[in-house]
């Protein structure tokens, strides 16, 4: 009896504590749900982007560089995977819980492993910082469908996948993108690559906001701002930055 009262008190205290926290601090999406949603999203994206590439050398290169940078991720309760899709769109994306996919076109544009390292580390950053998981969580709270999570995990997965598709169309918030760039810089440099390659990778994506095949540009903050941030982090001078941008554009 006393035990029951104690239990009730603990539950009541926990509920009050939860209510007192801001909405984003209540995580309804478990890690296993995050991973399950991510797998579903990855499968759909692979289909939509022309299927997996059969280019063995390219697949190995992406997996090797991806493993190098993600091994420095502070988040290690998920498995990061890196795959190439047969698409002529310039794009890369991260699904919640580990899967990262890059298009053949973008991978081909990133000629050095250092340039590739920055892009893959940026995507790793979205997963490490749990941007997808948090976005799904916020949607669940906003839609007040937390009960669905307990009742039917299939519904939760469907809602989660819908949130992710919306994110791929509209993009993450500016703050999320800048945070992913911080990871991009940190993970690539920890893996031994030069931050200058991060600037070149960004410059290759284009210096202007664009639409059409360059989906990456339409869903990310302006490239010049992002380049300036990386230059600052890497102590790269204004002159050197300009040279790197010119080099990158000549190589495209
Ligand atoms: Zn991003």
């Amino acid at each position: 009896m006393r035990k029951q009262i104690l239990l009730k008190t603990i539950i009541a205290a926990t509920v009050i504590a939860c209510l007192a926290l801001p909405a984003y601090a209540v995580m309804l999406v478990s890690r296993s749900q995050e991973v399950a949603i991510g797998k579903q999203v990855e499968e759909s994206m692979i289909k939509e982007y022309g299927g997996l590439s059969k280019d063995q050398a390219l697949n190995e290169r992406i997996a090797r560089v991806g493993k190098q940078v993600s091994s420095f991720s502070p988040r290690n309760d998920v498995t990061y995977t890196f795959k190439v899709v047969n698409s002529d769109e310039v794009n890369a994306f991260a699904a919640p819980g580990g899967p990262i996919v890059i298009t053949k076109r973008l991978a081909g544009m990133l000629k050095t492993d250092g340039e590739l390292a920055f892009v893959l580390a940026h995507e790793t950053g979205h997963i490490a910082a749990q941007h997808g998981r948090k976005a799904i969580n916020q949607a669940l709270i906003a839609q007040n469908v937390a009960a669905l999570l307990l009742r039917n995990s299939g519904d939760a997965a469907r809602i989660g996948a819908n949130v992710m598709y919306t994110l791929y169309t509209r993009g993450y918030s500016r703050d999320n993108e800048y945070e992913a760039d911080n990871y991009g810089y940190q993970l690539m440099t920890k893996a031994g690559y030069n931050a200058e390659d991060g600037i070149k990778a960004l410059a290759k994506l284009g210096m202007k906001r664009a639409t059409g095949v360059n989906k990456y540009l339409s869903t990310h903050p302006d490239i010049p701002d992002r380049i300036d941030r990386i230059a600052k982090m890497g102590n790269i001078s204004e002159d050197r930055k300009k040279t790197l941008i010119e080099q990158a554009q000549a190589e495209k």
Side-chain angles (χ1 to χ4, degrees), residues 122-123 126 172 177 180 216 220 226:
H122 171 99
E123 297 304 327
H126 280 306
Y172 288 102
E177 291 305 341
Y216 193 89
H220 282 73
R226 297 177 64 196

Side-chain angles (χ1 to χ4, degrees), residues 71-143:
S71 69
F72 290 97
S73 170
R75 184 178 183 199
N76 45 33
D77 65 338
V78 290
T79 306
Y80 299 93
T81 58
F82 298 85
K83 294 175 184 169
V84 187
V85 283
N86 269 321
S87 169
D88 285 332
E89 224 178 66
V90 176
N91 207 357
F93 52 84
I100 287 157
V101 176
I102 185 169
T103 63
K104 182 182 64 184
R105 169 101 181 264
L106 177 54
M109 281 163 61
L110 305 168
K111 300 251 170 11
T112 67
D113 285 353
E115 291 164 2
L116 180 63
F118 174 76
V119 170
L120 297 181
H122 171 99
E123 297 304 327
T124 300
H126 280 306
I127 297 168
Q130 310 188 55
H131 292 152
R133 186 184 191 179
K134 286 175 185 165
I136 295 164
N137 192 55
Q138 271 179 348
L140 289 173
I141 290 170
Q143 292 175 35

Side-chain angles (χ1 to χ4, degrees), residues 163-195:
V163 170
M164 290 313 298
Y165 297 137
T166 310
L167 273 180
Y168 292 136
T169 316
R170 293 196 202 144
Y172 288 102
S173 70
R174 267 177 98 77
D175 285 350
N176 279 181
E177 291 305 341
Y178 286 145
E179 191 180 12
D181 273 350
N182 297 349
Y183 276 96
Y185 169 81
Q186 281 161 19
L187 302 184
M188 82 176 289
T189 51
K190 278 182 181 163
Y193 294 107
N194 192 325

